[in-house]
Amino acid sequence: FNIVFDRTFLFSITYANNKEQQKWIKEVAKSVFTLKTFDKNNFLLQSSTGFFVGENGEAISSYAPFKNAYKAIIIDSNGKENNVDYIIGANETYDVIKFHVNIKKAIPLTISGNTQNDSSEVLLIPYSPNKKVEYTKGKISKTELFKEQYKYYTITLNSPFDGNCCPLFNSDGEVLGLTQESSSENTKLAYAVSASFANDLKTNGLSINDPALKNTYIKKALPDTEDQAILALYLGSKSLDSLNYVELVDDYIKKFPNSHEGYIHKAQIYCDAKLFEKAEEYMNLAKHNSSKPEDVHYSYAKMIFGKELYFTDIQYDNWNLDKAIAETDMAYSINPLPTYKQLKGQILFAQAKYDESYQIYKQITDSGTKTAELFIEQARCMEMLNDTTKMLALLDSAINTYSKPYLREVAPYLLIRAQALTSNKQYRKAVVDYNDYEKLMGETLNANFYYIRYQCELEGKLYQLALNDI
């Protein structure tokens, strides 16, 4: 009786455990989907498996299918299609990607907080488009640590398995990892990278230059923090094409509606398109949403100044150089930075108010901000006022802000002084500057430089040097 009772009891426990396991297996299978990616002509590139890790549509899968992809979709366990609308992060080395699916609500899997050790029992569950869920059991035979906190698993399986990016579960129904494509011919061996690692992927301000993200043409998520998102905006303005950059700016405004940065970038887009009324509208939004109004006034002054310099053929009554000066004055009244005053000097110079411009620059240098650029700008004012002696002295001051041996950043200032000395018939002094310039610029120089120096050497009666140059 005892033997019969014990066997019945053990059978009941095993049956209950199996029933419980079958229950959570059916539940987690609802989170697994098929992923398909397409090229720019909408031809299929690759297929893979993936699964949801967030109820708002966050999901992870393998990176490889996204390479050169212009579009991606997922097909869930019910056979319904949804688009991948943006990428959250990617790592090509470990072949993982995190992205967002345009779905009302997803059923996410629970990622295990405890990494399993060797000999732990695990299950691999592939995409199941029908009610019957297939799965494969196995044990972890090896774990390797990477990036100090994540694990890479080697799994010995009870039966052959051939699936890429399927979730690897522990006995509690929590995800440990994503299976990866194996180069081994042994179908009873599988490999998986930590699901936590894939889930932790995210963009930052420098992601715009990340090769893994640049190699896919699907939209990328903005960083979550404002400072990193601002960095992404500035890098995007330099490296993205116009359509992608506009989309980036719009995403920033949507994500950070109370930040002035997005409105300034949007205003600049309209200004570059010569739509000045729209640009003004967005600059007013920037003023309304700014915690640092001096930044907005300064940016507005630069925008108006740029328009008056480069788009002189188009009249916009609301903008002129006087308004640009007013904006710099407002910025300076809030925060007296030399940069704001320097911009005012540049605008005054554009108005041919050379003496006023010079006085502005002199105030800045007298207050302790002595840069080569400021001395050069003062020298330009003196040139326009026909004060050659003071002009050359200011050019000397610009060069003297650096010490020998000169770095390459001094080269433009040496060239300016060499040209000024040549114009004032101080040929031998000019040759010295041309020589220093040549040392810094090296092989980038062309025949035109040597011809100009030849003429200077000829006038300075440095005939052998002139002969060498010509």
Side-chain angles (χ1 to χ4, degrees), residues 5 18 32 44 57 153 164 194 202-203 219 246 270 296 350 366 376 429-430 455:
F5 176 80
N18 286 339
V32 185
L44 180 67
Y153 302 99
N164 186 26
S194 166
K202 58 184 177 181
T203 56
K219 180 178 163 183
V246 168
Y270 279 120
V296 181
D366 286 349
I376 290 290
K429 285 185 178 180
Q455 291 177 310

Short mmCIF file of all heavy atoms in Angstrom, two decimals, residues 5 18 32 44 57 153 164 194 202-203 219 246 270 296 350 366 376 429-430 455:
data_model
loop_
_atom_site.label_atom_id
_atom_site.label_comp_id
_atom_site.label_asym_id
_atom_site.label_seq_id
_atom_site.Cartn_x
_atom_site.Cartn_y
_atom_site.Cartn_z
N PHE A 5 1.05 4.02 -2.78
CA PHE A 5 0.77 5.41 -2.37
C PHE A 5 1.90 6.35 -2.79
O PHE A 5 1.66 7.42 -3.34
CB PHE A 5 0.57 5.47 -0.85
CG PHE A 5 0.38 6.86 -0.34
CD1 PHE A 5 -0.86 7.49 -0.43
CD2 PHE A 5 1.45 7.57 0.19
CE1 PHE A 5 -1.03 8.78 0.02
CE2 PHE A 5 1.28 8.88 0.63
CZ PHE A 5 0.03 9.48 0.56
N ASN A 18 4.22 19.31 -14.60
CA ASN A 18 4.16 19.36 -16.06
C ASN A 18 3.01 20.23 -16.54
O ASN A 18 3.12 20.98 -17.51
CB ASN A 18 4.01 17.95 -16.63
CG ASN A 18 5.30 17.16 -16.54
OD1 ASN A 18 6.37 17.75 -16.43
ND2 ASN A 18 5.20 15.84 -16.58
N VAL A 32 6.39 35.63 -28.52
CA VAL A 32 7.41 35.34 -29.54
C VAL A 32 6.82 35.61 -30.93
O VAL A 32 5.66 35.28 -31.20
CB VAL A 32 7.90 33.88 -29.43
CG1 VAL A 32 9.04 33.63 -30.41
CG2 VAL A 32 8.33 33.59 -28.00
N LEU A 44 12.23 41.09 -49.72
CA LEU A 44 12.60 40.48 -48.45
C LEU A 44 14.12 40.32 -48.34
O LEU A 44 14.76 39.80 -49.25
CB LEU A 44 11.92 39.11 -48.31
CG LEU A 44 12.21 38.33 -47.02
CD1 LEU A 44 11.61 39.04 -45.81
CD2 LEU A 44 11.67 36.90 -47.14
N GLY A 57 5.61 47.83 -26.63
CA GLY A 57 6.07 47.42 -27.96
C GLY A 57 7.57 47.25 -28.09
O GLY A 57 8.07 46.99 -29.18
N TYR A 153 25.81 31.93 -22.94
CA TYR A 153 25.51 30.55 -22.57
C TYR A 153 25.78 29.57 -23.70
O TYR A 153 25.48 29.84 -24.86
CB TYR A 153 24.03 30.42 -22.18
CG TYR A 153 23.60 31.30 -21.04
CD1 TYR A 153 22.94 32.51 -21.29
CD2 TYR A 153 23.82 30.93 -19.72
CE1 TYR A 153 22.52 33.33 -20.24
CE2 TYR A 153 23.42 31.74 -18.66
CZ TYR A 153 22.77 32.94 -18.92
OH TYR A 153 22.36 33.74 -17.89
N ASN A 164 17.15 30.60 -34.65
CA ASN A 164 17.95 31.77 -34.32
C ASN A 164 17.11 32.81 -33.59
O ASN A 164 15.99 33.11 -34.00
CB ASN A 164 18.53 32.38 -35.61
CG ASN A 164 19.50 33.52 -35.32
OD1 ASN A 164 20.11 33.57 -34.26
ND2 ASN A 164 19.63 34.42 -36.26
N SER A 194 23.02 37.01 -23.36
CA SER A 194 22.16 37.52 -22.29
C SER A 194 21.03 38.41 -22.81
O SER A 194 21.27 39.36 -23.55
CB SER A 194 23.01 38.32 -21.29
OG SER A 194 22.21 39.07 -20.43
N LYS A 202 20.57 51.02 -25.78
CA LYS A 202 19.87 52.29 -25.99
C LYS A 202 20.78 53.23 -26.75
O LYS A 202 22.01 53.07 -26.78
CB LYS A 202 19.44 52.91 -24.67
CG LYS A 202 20.58 53.18 -23.69
CD LYS A 202 20.02 53.71 -22.38
CE LYS A 202 21.15 53.92 -21.37
NZ LYS A 202 20.63 54.41 -20.07
N THR A 203 20.18 54.22 -27.37
CA THR A 203 20.96 55.21 -28.11
C THR A 203 21.49 56.26 -27.15
O THR A 203 20.96 56.47 -26.07
CB THR A 203 20.09 55.90 -29.18
OG1 THR A 203 18.94 56.48 -28.55
CG2 THR A 203 19.65 54.92 -30.25
N LYS A 219 14.37 54.16 -38.90
CA LYS A 219 14.48 55.27 -37.96
C LYS A 219 15.05 54.82 -36.61
O LYS A 219 14.75 53.74 -36.13
CB LYS A 219 13.09 55.88 -37.78
CG LYS A 219 13.01 57.05 -36.85
CD LYS A 219 11.56 57.55 -36.85
CE LYS A 219 11.28 58.42 -35.68
NZ LYS A 219 9.87 58.84 -35.65
N VAL A 246 15.19 66.56 -40.60
CA VAL A 246 13.89 67.15 -40.25
C VAL A 246 13.11 66.19 -39.35
O VAL A 246 12.50 66.61 -38.35
CB VAL A 246 13.06 67.47 -41.52
CG1 VAL A 246 11.62 67.80 -41.17
CG2 VAL A 246 13.70 68.63 -42.28
N TYR A 270 13.71 76.20 -41.48
CA TYR A 270 12.84 77.10 -42.25
C TYR A 270 13.63 78.30 -42.79
O TYR A 270 13.39 78.74 -43.92
CB TYR A 270 11.67 77.57 -41.39
CG TYR A 270 10.55 76.57 -41.30
CD1 TYR A 270 10.16 76.05 -40.07
CD2 TYR A 270 9.88 76.13 -42.43
CE1 TYR A 270 9.13 75.11 -39.97
CE2 TYR A 270 8.85 75.20 -42.35
CZ TYR A 270 8.48 74.69 -41.12
OH TYR A 270 7.46 73.78 -41.04
N VAL A 296 18.42 81.59 -26.54
CA VAL A 296 17.47 81.82 -27.63
C VAL A 296 17.73 83.16 -28.30
O VAL A 296 17.76 83.27 -29.53
CB VAL A 296 16.01 81.75 -27.13
CG1 VAL A 296 15.04 81.96 -28.29
CG2 VAL A 296 15.74 80.40 -26.47
N ALA A 350 29.37 94.48 -40.23
CA ALA A 350 28.56 94.30 -41.44
C ALA A 350 27.78 95.56 -41.78
O ALA A 350 27.45 95.80 -42.95
CB ALA A 350 27.60 93.13 -41.24
N ASP A 366 40.23 93.75 -23.54
CA ASP A 366 40.67 94.48 -22.34
C ASP A 366 40.15 93.83 -21.07
O ASP A 366 40.77 93.95 -20.00
CB ASP A 366 40.19 95.95 -22.40
CG ASP A 366 40.97 96.78 -23.40
OD1 ASP A 366 42.01 96.28 -23.89
OD2 ASP A 366 40.55 97.91 -23.70
N ILE A 376 42.24 89.39 -34.73
CA ILE A 376 42.08 89.43 -36.18
C ILE A 376 40.89 90.31 -36.55
O ILE A 376 40.96 91.12 -37.50
CB ILE A 376 41.87 88.00 -36.75
CG1 ILE A 376 43.17 87.18 -36.63
CG2 ILE A 376 41.39 88.04 -38.20
CD1 ILE A 376 44.30 87.60 -37.54
N LYS A 429 59.53 90.07 -44.32
CA LYS A 429 58.76 89.61 -43.16
C LYS A 429 57.63 88.68 -43.61
O LYS A 429 57.33 87.68 -42.95
CB LYS A 429 58.16 90.81 -42.41
CG LYS A 429 59.17 91.61 -41.58
CD LYS A 429 58.44 92.69 -40.80
CE LYS A 429 59.42 93.48 -39.93
NZ LYS A 429 58.72 94.53 -39.15
N ALA A 430 57.04 89.03 -44.75
CA ALA A 430 55.97 88.19 -45.28
C ALA A 430 56.49 86.80 -45.63
O ALA A 430 55.82 85.79 -45.37
CB ALA A 430 55.34 88.84 -46.51
N GLN A 455 56.41 85.47 -55.96
CA GLN A 455 56.25 86.90 -56.24
C GLN A 455 56.75 87.76 -55.08
O GLN A 455 57.40 88.80 -55.28
CB GLN A 455 54.78 87.21 -56.52
CG GLN A 455 54.28 86.63 -57.83
CD GLN A 455 52.81 86.90 -58.04
OE1 GLN A 455 51.99 86.65 -57.16
NE2 GLN A 455 52.46 87.44 -59.21
#
